[in-house]
Amino acid sequence: MTKLTGITFAVATAIAGSAFADTDRTGWPESFTVGTASQGGTYFAYGAGWANLVAEELGLSGGGEVTGGPMQNMALVHTGEAQFGMTTMGPAAESLAGTNPIAPGLQMTGACAMFPMYQTPFSVTALSSSGITSIADIPAGARIGFGPAGSTSDTYFPRMMEELGVEFDRRNGGWSDLGSQLQDGLLDVIAFAAGVPVPAVSQLEVQTEVNIIEFTEDEQAQIMAAFPVSQFDISADAYTTLDAPARSVSMWNFAIANCDLPESFVKAVVDVVMSDNERMVNIHRAAGSTLPENWDKNTVMKWHPGAAAWFTENAGAEIPADMIHGN
């Protein structure tokens, strides 16, 4: 198992006066780690932020750690090397099925759902000068940039394109670099899986004319049937290029917990994160979707009993017993 590396944001505070001072802390760890992703990305900022918030509120030592992202987080949380982590529904499904490339054949059932984070939309961009205005317009052999190797975008967008019958030459790289390559004519299309507005697209809009390409209703339905994604509209105000919402799909991100952690501990962590959305949005704008009513976006992982109890009691969640770990 790859050892966690990076900066740990450790916070240890006294619990006097805390709302959780009277909570039964039997079996609670003295410290915890949240597996995030690389520095500079949404996962790291969001994960380190809620880790610090939880550490402060619960009077523990804890923080975010740099990891390889969703796939590695599933492995780290399954083994207990990290108490918490963050993943997308696709990597979660693959990890549970035993097809996580980190440990092929290992069904990572030791990682449980904890709370909904936000959606990662899948979006397609081309230069207006290309004449590409739809998925069907993408020519055979088109050079498509799919983002960093091993990312959620690189893992799923090529499969989605294949599902839709697109033949392409696959390219990888950072989003800013791919944006420059598109502008220089070295790429025909960029297929993004990232929070919108994607900075690279916003930058392109300033410098040249682009087409934000939406899926047709049939394409959207086809992708939703084949992959663990949800219906999503990119809002018209996300980009100056758009004058109406663009039809897309998105993959939900969820926080995960080691299934063996004490129920009272995980319930308290969920309460800190989910009870005050304004604090979360101050950590990262993407947390605008970190809302109790989005509990139902988990259709893949079993819930940690502590998390299930919180959402049942506070969000009116009706979680089937067979979707709760230990039942």
Side-chain angles (χ1 to χ4, degrees):
M1 182 62 62
T2 303
K3 184 174 176 60
L4 288 172
T5 60
I7 303 171
T8 298
F9 293 83
V11 179
T13 60
I15 64 172
S18 167
F20 301 96
D22 296 328
T23 301
D24 178 7
R25 296 183 172 227
T26 302
W28 284 30
E30 294 182 0
S31 63
F32 66 87
T33 295
V34 177
T36 62
S38 61
Q39 287 179 289
T42 301
Y43 259 35
F44 185 78
Y46 182 106
W50 74 255
N52 287 342
L53 179 63
V54 167
E56 182 176 359
E57 289 293 314
L58 299 185
L60 300 172
S61 174
E65 288 279 2
V66 172
T67 71
M71 288 288 193
Q72 189 182 20
N73 291 341
M74 285 293 296
L76 293 169
V77 172
H78 168 75
T79 62
E81 189 168 345
Q83 288 72 36
F84 304 119
M86 304 188 299
T87 191
T88 37
M89 290 291 99
E94 294 200 22
S95 299
L96 293 172
T99 57
N100 186 319
I102 291 174
L106 176 64
Q107 293 180 302
M108 299 181 184
T109 54
C112 281
M114 186 162 62
F115 62 81
M117 292 165 45
Y118 55 87
Q119 299 174 80
T120 295
F122 289 74
S123 59
V124 180
T125 301
L127 297 183
S128 296
S129 59
S130 70
I132 298 172
T133 61
S134 68
I135 300 298
D137 286 341
I138 300 175
R143 300 159 298 177
I144 302 181
F146 289 106
S151 63
T152 297
S153 181
D154 182 51
T155 301
Y156 289 95
F157 229 146
R159 300 183 199 174
M160 292 178 181
M161 289 296 190
E162 290 169 354
E163 174 70 23
L164 297 177
V166 178
E167 298 177 20
F168 54 84
D169 178 9
R170 183 174 184 164
R171 304 290 177 87
N172 292 112
W175 293 127
S176 295
D177 182 45
L178 293 178
S180 297
Q181 290 184 43
L182 183 72
Q183 189 172 5
D184 293 342
L186 301 176
L187 292 176
D188 301 296
V189 173
I190 304 180
F192 292 93
V196 292
V198 179
V201 176
S202 298
Q203 184 64 30
L204 281 170
E205 285 187 307
V206 173
Q207 299 170 338
T208 187
E209 293 184 3
V210 300
N211 292 337
I212 311 287
I213 299 165
E214 69 174 353
F215 297 114
T216 65
E217 289 186 16
D218 287 345
E219 288 167 346
Q220 184 187 56
Q222 187 176 349
I223 293 173
M224 287 172 61
F227 301 97
V229 293
S230 306
Q231 183 174 329
F232 187 86
D233 284 338
I234 298 172
S235 64
D237 62 4
Y239 298 109
T240 57
T241 299
L242 293 176
D243 54 17
R247 192 181 298 105
S248 182
V249 296
S250 68
M251 188 174 286
W252 270 90
N253 298 273
F254 259 71
I256 53 177
N258 179 273
C259 297
D260 293 331
L261 288 171
E263 181 173 336
S264 62
F265 176 46
V266 174
K267 187 176 182 181
V269 171
V270 173
D271 190 67
V272 170
V273 174
M274 300 303 297
S275 62
D276 190 341
N277 186 247
E278 185 177 346
R279 288 192 303 185
M280 287 299 297
V281 171
N282 286 337
I283 289 169
H284 198 286
R285 193 175 73 170
S289 298
T290 306
L291 300 170
E293 57 263 34
N294 287 325
W295 68 270
D296 62 353
K297 302 306 187 293
N298 168 38
T299 58
V300 173
M301 296 176 283
K302 289 200 172 185
W303 286 90
H304 190 287
W310 191 92
F311 284 100
T312 299
E313 295 169 13
N314 297 281
E318 298 180 0
I319 301 173
D322 62 1
M323 283 294 287
I324 301 174
H325 179 75
N327 289 349

